[in-house]
Every structure is written in structure tokens, then in C-alpha cells.
Amino acid sequence: MAEPSPQTLVLSMEEVQINAAKNDMQAFAPLYKKYYAALCRFAYQRLSNKEDTYEIVSLAFLKAMQNLHQYKFEGLSFGSWLYRIVLNEINMQYRSNKINRVINCEEAQFYSIADELQDIDEQEKFEKLKISLTHLGVEELDLIEMRFFEKRAFKEIAEINNQQEPAVKMRCYRTLEKLKLIMTKNK
């Protein structure tokens, strides 16, 4: 029996919904419902302002709908594509000073980063880390938030950032090294 060709493979339910939405925007509703709450949590983590969160997510969905015809099933999940749109929108709004970027996490989440910074004195880590995070660039902070505060896998971070997984791991390592350097200079 012959192997099925790639064209005859069964599409996932999400792929069917995306293809339907490409032809009729009314069919986008199930995708909106599926991702809305998760994207709001993702945006709120970076904004701590409900109005800004709703506006960013609304703009992201509008852009997703306008550019849905460009989305292709090439290993990148649709959810990661949406997260990247939200993240890009947050960063654009932040750069134009329309919103304030915040670091919104629990104290325990700070300690997950502090554990990676082994050369720093335990008692000083937490306070120094809070201050040092403000010295990171937007992309570096996004990486730290996704990896340590949101506990995302490197693979998912790579998808969201449209990068290769080894490159994300290297950026994470370099960002942690930069944090160590910043923290030791702030003694």
C-alpha cells in the first residue's frame, strides 16, 4: 500500500478553522474564543493595566484577521503566531511611549531566576534582581519573562519569536550573564 502524499494528510481542527476564516471572517470566531483569554493574560503580564491589555489584544486580533491570508502551516503553531503579534504590538506601543512596560510577577518567580545566578550572595539577590531587570532591553526582558515567569519551554519561545530553539537558548544564557554582570556592578 502506498504512503499518503502530503496533500492527502488529515488537517487538524484548527487548520480547518483557519482555512475557513481565510474565506469568511465569520469563521474566525472559534479561534478568537480559543485564544482570547490566554492572550489577555500574556499581555496583562507585561502591562498591569486592563484598558491597555484589552486594547493591545484587540489590535492584535485585528492585525491577525487582516493578515490571516499570510499565515501558513509550516511548523509554527497558530497560537505562537498570535502571541508574536501581541508581543510586537506591546513593544511598538512601548517604544512610542503610549504604554508603560512593567515586570509583573510573584516573588517566587524572581527566585527561579535568582537560582540561575549562582555567583550572587543569596540575601542580596532579590532586591538587586528587581533593579537589574530594569536595565535589560525589551527583547531581553521578554525572554526572561517567558522563560522564568511564564515557564515557557525554549521551543515555544522560539516559535513566538520566530527564531531557532538553539538561538533562544543562547540568548537566554547571554541575558542571564548580562544580569549577573549588572548585579555585580550594583554592589
Side-chain angles (χ1 to χ4, degrees):
M1 182 166 215
E3 291 285 322
S5 70
Q7 292 81 15
T8 61
L9 294 177
V10 178
L11 297 177
S12 71
M13 180 56 126
E14 188 169 84
E15 289 172 310
V16 170
Q17 291 171 331
I18 293 166
N19 286 332
K22 285 180 178 182
N23 297 319
D24 177 13
M25 275 301 141
Q26 296 291 328
F28 193 83
L31 296 166
Y32 177 86
K33 289 177 185 172
K34 179 178 180 179
Y35 289 103
Y36 180 77
L39 292 174
C40 282
R41 283 189 302 275
F42 182 79
Y44 187 74
Q45 176 74 23
R46 289 150 178 78
L47 303 170
S48 275
N49 178 301
K50 288 183 181 181
E51 292 79 24
D52 289 342
T53 297
Y54 297 142
E55 184 175 335
I56 293 288
V57 172
S58 294
L59 285 170
F61 271 115
L62 177 62
K63 287 183 179 184
M65 291 170 68
Q66 291 170 337
N67 295 295
L68 190 59
H69 63 281
Q70 294 178 356
Y71 177 78
K72 294 181 180 128
F73 305 100
E74 297 177 340
L76 178 67
S77 75
F78 186 70
S80 294
W81 186 69
L82 291 173
Y83 280 110
R84 185 171 57 232
I85 294 171
V86 170
L87 192 56
N88 287 341
E89 193 61 37
I90 289 169
N91 290 336
M92 280 191 331
Q93 297 288 326
Y94 173 70
R95 284 186 196 110
S96 64
N97 294 319
K98 292 181 182 175
I99 61 171
N100 292 321
R101 180 73 162 80
V102 298
I103 302 169
N104 187 13
C105 71
E106 310 257 332
E107 187 172 326
Q109 293 169 316
F110 270 108
Y111 286 114
S112 69
I113 298 172
D115 290 342
E116 296 287 329
L117 307 171
Q118 299 153 351
D119 300 339
I120 309 296
D121 179 25
E122 276 300 315
Q123 294 179 345
E124 299 176 31
K125 277 185 189 179
F126 183 67
E127 289 304 318
K128 283 186 177 185
L129 184 58
K130 286 195 302 189
I131 294 166
S132 298
L133 284 171
T134 64
H135 296 294
L136 294 178
V138 174
E139 289 82 15
E140 293 167 325
L141 186 56
D142 287 336
L143 177 63
I144 293 296
E145 284 181 316
M146 284 189 266
R147 180 68 184 151
F148 295 99
F149 301 163
E150 297 169 5
K151 304 290 186 205
R152 294 181 187 275
F154 284 117
K155 182 178 183 196
E156 185 179 9
I157 297 168
E159 286 181 359
I160 291 170
N161 287 307
N162 197 25
Q163 296 178 336
Q164 297 294 319
E165 188 175 343
V168 170
K169 287 179 180 179
M170 181 56 73
R171 279 185 52 226
C172 187
Y173 170 78
R174 288 181 178 158
T175 301
L176 289 172
E177 289 300 311
K178 182 177 179 178
L179 268 176
K180 284 181 189 179
L181 186 62
I182 293 167
M183 289 174 72
T184 54
K185 284 183 179 180
N186 291 333
K187 282 191 172 185

